[in-house]
Amino acid sequence: MASEQELSDFLKSVDKRAFKRTVYHVRDEEAALDIVQDSMIKLAEHYGDKPINELPMLFQRILSNSTLDWFRRQKTRNALFTSLSDFESPSDEGGDFDLLEIHSTEGNEREGSQSTEDQLRRKQIFQEIEKEIQELPARQREAFLMRYWEEMDVAETAAAMGCSEGSVKTHCFRAIQTLSKALKAKGIEL
């Protein structure tokens, strides 16, 4: 059984990756933060007494289900109500605070040894890759992020997504092919 400290350490270890993955899915930082926090609370409340080695899979499944629930609520909300943001003018945009940018630069102090030109080039490539990942179909994006961002194996990804291992492999293959083609068209070869 996981102790409170082990549970806390686990949640700290997955928060940034879970947030970024959720932002890729919902494309809304505030909603992503809410989804991740709700998922963490559900894990702690309902599964905090499980062994520590079961927590990663449980958390991924809870996070996936919470994201799907968010999409269902949005679909219902959009069917019933007109969003107030439709009435805002483009000049009403607030500050330029970018939480994803802050998360991606934390812990990269060694970048000071690179030239400014290299840093800019890396940042531009990273932004292009993120943009292309966001354009992937939802299931491909989910499989790709779990396999290569979360570093989960095929079986873990299949369990978290609720599909077969073959489906995970297919989604990842198609995602890689799409990303490769799109990035190559932009002159980016990794």
Side-chain angles (χ1 to χ4, degrees), residues 105-158:
T105 58
E106 279 183 4
N108 291 335
E109 287 81 27
R110 65 180 179 4
E111 286 185 358
S113 63
Q114 297 177 351
S115 73
T116 305
E117 185 177 322
D118 289 342
Q119 287 180 11
L120 179 62
R121 173 98 175 110
R122 284 175 51 99
K123 185 175 180 179
Q124 289 172 339
I125 290 172
F126 185 68
Q127 288 173 340
E128 288 297 324
I129 292 170
E130 283 186 329
K131 180 181 167 195
E132 292 302 326
I133 289 172
Q134 288 179 353
E135 298 299 318
L136 290 172
R139 294 293 279 180
Q140 287 180 22
R141 184 175 53 244
E142 183 177 18
F144 179 82
L145 291 172
M146 283 184 181
R147 287 281 293 128
Y148 303 109
W149 182 265
E150 299 288 335
E151 298 177 353
M152 297 169 72
D153 65 26
V154 175
E156 291 172 331
T157 305

Side-chain angles (χ1 to χ4, degrees), residues 5-49:
Q5 185 61 42
E6 288 175 325
L7 180 61
S8 177
D9 291 343
F10 168 74
L11 293 175
K12 286 177 186 175
S13 73
V14 297
D15 67 342
K16 290 178 185 170
R17 290 183 308 182
F19 173 74
K20 192 157 191 162
R21 178 182 143 207
T22 307
V23 167
Y24 279 131
H25 286 296
V26 301
R27 298 178 181 155
D28 180 350
E29 289 182 2
E30 291 179 20
L33 189 58
D34 288 342
I35 291 168
V36 171
Q37 288 176 344
D38 288 344
S39 298
M40 288 179 168
I41 290 169
K42 287 177 185 174
L43 179 74
E45 286 178 350
H46 302 289
Y47 302 102
D49 60 343

